[in-house]
Amino acid sequence: GESVGLHLPTLSVQEGDNSIINCAYSNSASDYFIWYKQESGKGPQFIIDIRSNMDKRQGQRVTVLLNKTVKHLSLQIAATQPGDSAVYFCAENGGGYNKLIFGAGTRLAVHP
Amino acid sequence: NAGVTQTPKFRILKIGQSMTLQCTQDMNHNYMYWYRQDPGMGLKLIYYSVGAGITDKGEVPNGYNVSRSTTEDFPLRLELAAPSQTSVYFCASCWGGLSTDTQYFGPGTRLTVL
């Protein structure tokens, strides 16, 4: 899920498969990380978060993994559904005043 | 609650024109933010506010101004529109400045400068 400029990387999966979306973050001092989902024409929507003192957190059908050694986050979506089709962004928070730094995003396309 | 609302949804400006993007939240949130999102990119912070009367620059503030006269409203002003300001603009709000305070986003304003 790294930035490649104007063209978002796309992950294509079959409905029912598991999806893994990756993100590299930039600031080793960031203490909080969030995954957002953005559907076409809408604003980002919170999915799940994780503090820097954790390496895994699970939600409903989603799991976030954090590897601070290599500054890497991943979002796992179980049993991917057509409604999961969207652009997914990771964001890091470490600059005070809850200012977020967003990654470039990955487009998830779910095929029936 | 309507959450975070933004107007207009779409706007086309000519180079040199000015406009104000409106943002209102009804959640009594103290913190508000303006981001821009260029095609195929993540969001970048333009300005933010920690309360009425208090604003500060984000990562990309040049060409923009903000004000925060009330808790609810956080308008973004473009004085001399340039093609480089063609983007989608998102407003967000959250209760406080803790990293665990979730930011809620509006639906966005798509601006084209020709």
Side-chain angles (χ1 to χ4, degrees):
Chain A
E2 301 298 333
S3 169
V4 289
L6 291 178
H7 303 286
L8 279 175
T10 299
L11 176 65
S12 293
V13 300
Q14 293 292 122
E15 182 178 356
D17 285 353
N18 296 335
S19 303
I20 300 176
I21 299 170
N22 296 305
C23 174
Y25 64 90
S26 57
N27 186 355
S28 56
S30 293
D31 62 357
Y32 188 67
F33 304 89
I34 310 115
W35 280 98
Y36 282 91
K37 174 185 181 182
Q38 186 178 26
E39 296 174 287
S40 182
K42 296 184 178 180
Q45 180 183 12
F46 172 90
I47 302 173
I48 192 168
D49 55 13
I50 188 168
R51 290 180 186 269
S52 61
N53 61 356
M54 303 169 69
D55 53 23
K56 180 179 179 180
R57 188 163 189 223
Q58 287 185 288
Q60 194 173 23
R61 280 203 309 121
V62 293
T63 300
V64 54
L65 299 177
L66 174 62
N67 185 332
K68 293 184 289 294
T69 303
V70 294
K71 295 194 286 187
H72 183 269
L73 272 171
S74 68
L75 176 70
Q76 300 178 0
I77 305 174
T80 314
Q81 302 167 359
D84 295 326
S85 294
V87 177
Y88 289 81
F89 294 96
C90 66
E92 59 184 294
N93 188 328
Y97 301 109
N98 206 1
K99 291 184 286 184
L100 298 176
I101 299 171
F102 282 82
T106 296
R107 185 180 306 281
L108 177 64
V110 183
H111 303 286
Chain B
N1 285 353
V4 181
T5 57
Q6 294 182 239
T7 57
K9 287 188 175 5
F10 305 95
R11 183 73 186 269
I12 298 175
L13 284 181
K14 294 182 179 178
I15 294 171
Q17 286 185 319
S18 62
M19 76 164 293
T20 300
L21 283 69
Q22 301 292 345
C23 174
T24 300
Q25 53 88 12
D26 63 358
M27 298 175 281
N28 203 29
H29 284 170
N30 294 308
Y31 284 60
M32 296 186 75
Y33 306 83
W34 273 106
Y35 296 89
R36 60 176 286 172
Q37 184 179 31
D38 297 331
M41 304 294 284
L43 283 70
K44 292 190 175 180
L45 183 64
I46 306 172
Y47 269 96
Y48 67 101
S49 169
V50 303
I54 307 169
T55 63
D56 205 351
K57 296 177 181 178
E59 183 185 358
V60 289
N62 290 348
Y64 307 94
N65 279 300
V66 293
S67 58
R68 183 99 181 269
S69 56
T70 66
T71 299
E72 295 79 19
D73 301 306
F74 189 39
L76 178 72
R77 178 88 179 155
L78 282 72
E79 289 294 350
L80 290 170
S84 61
Q85 294 178 303
T86 293
S87 192
V88 181
Y89 292 83
F90 290 100
C91 179
S93 73
C94 63
W95 171 250
L98 293 178
S99 55
T100 49
D101 289 322
T102 301
Q103 288 190 27
Y104 295 89
F105 285 80
T109 293
R110 184 176 295 274
L111 175 67
T112 302
V113 182
L114 301 174

